[in-house]
Amino acid sequence: MATLVCWEPFREVAALQNEMSRFMNGLLEGNGRTTQSWIPTLDAWETDGEVVYAFDLPGIPQDTISVELDDGTLTVTAERERKDAAKEQGFYRYERRFGTFARTVGVPQGVTDSDITATYENGVLELHVKKPAQPKPRKIQIGGASTEQKTIEGTAQEA
């Protein structure tokens, strides 16, 4: 009996892209560098009243994390340092990323710094951004307060 499997070409392309990216990063960066740039993973979701951004920042002390709001963008920066004790313990492979990173995400228009709260627990930085109040449409009366129609009269002139 034959089993039919639905082929999903976009999933195959995405998997290939991830593998190639991992392969190329390993070739270009190598293990000899003391600092490597990295970008932490990010989850984002929306509730009725806010947008939440969660960054995975394991091994980074809370006091070294910087969060800045500037012109509708929220930027998180920090640095994870490599400990020199690793050389003394005979490590053979370094896969964890070290160095400084900066990650920028957009926030809804009209958000101010007082609309953002941050928590850091178990290596996860959560930024809660309150959604600004949306302006309500309002009805505009045409012709002012009077309800009578006005007639405009004029004369035609020949050119």
Side-chain angles (χ1 to χ4, degrees):
M1 181 169 175
T3 303
L4 293 176
V5 177
C6 182
W7 182 52
E8 298 180 33
F10 293 112
R11 181 179 292 176
E12 298 289 331
V13 170
L16 177 64
Q17 180 183 10
N18 286 339
E19 289 299 317
M20 290 300 293
S21 177
R22 199 171 122 226
F23 174 71
M24 294 304 286
N25 285 340
L27 283 178
L28 297 175
E29 294 173 358
N31 291 333
R33 297 176 69 181
T34 57
T35 60
Q36 297 178 352
S37 62
W38 63 285
I39 298 174
T41 56
L42 164 70
D43 290 340
W45 63 92
E46 184 176 7
T47 65
D48 290 338
E50 64 185 6
V51 178
V52 182
Y53 302 98
F55 295 85
D56 281 344
L57 304 175
I60 298 179
Q62 179 176 340
D63 58 341
T64 63
I65 300 170
S66 170
V67 179
E68 296 179 5
L69 176 67
D70 183 33
D71 196 28
T73 60
L74 196 59
T75 304
V76 177
T77 56
E79 182 176 2
R80 183 170 22 195
E81 297 179 6
R82 181 179 304 226
K83 301 203 182 331
D84 290 332
K87 294 178 184 175
E88 298 170 5
Q89 297 176 1
F91 275 83
Y92 294 105
R93 184 172 179 97
Y94 295 102
E95 289 189 356
R96 296 188 315 157
R97 304 289 183 183
F98 295 89
T100 304
F101 80 87
R103 180 100 192 239
T104 302
V105 294
V107 295
Q109 187 176 11
V111 169
T112 63
D113 56 350
S114 62
D115 296 329
I116 302 171
T117 58
T119 59
Y120 187 64
E121 186 176 340
N122 297 326
V124 177
L125 172 68
E126 280 193 9
L127 301 173
H128 295 260
V129 180
K130 281 204 285 190
K131 292 179 183 177
Q134 296 296 322
K136 305 266 185 205
R138 46 184 207 119
K139 191 171 185 175
I140 298 173
Q141 182 69 31
I142 300 174
S146 73
T147 58
E148 66 182 55
Q149 294 183 351
K150 296 181 180 177
T151 305
I152 300 174
E153 294 183 17
T155 59
Q157 295 181 1
E158 293 183 27

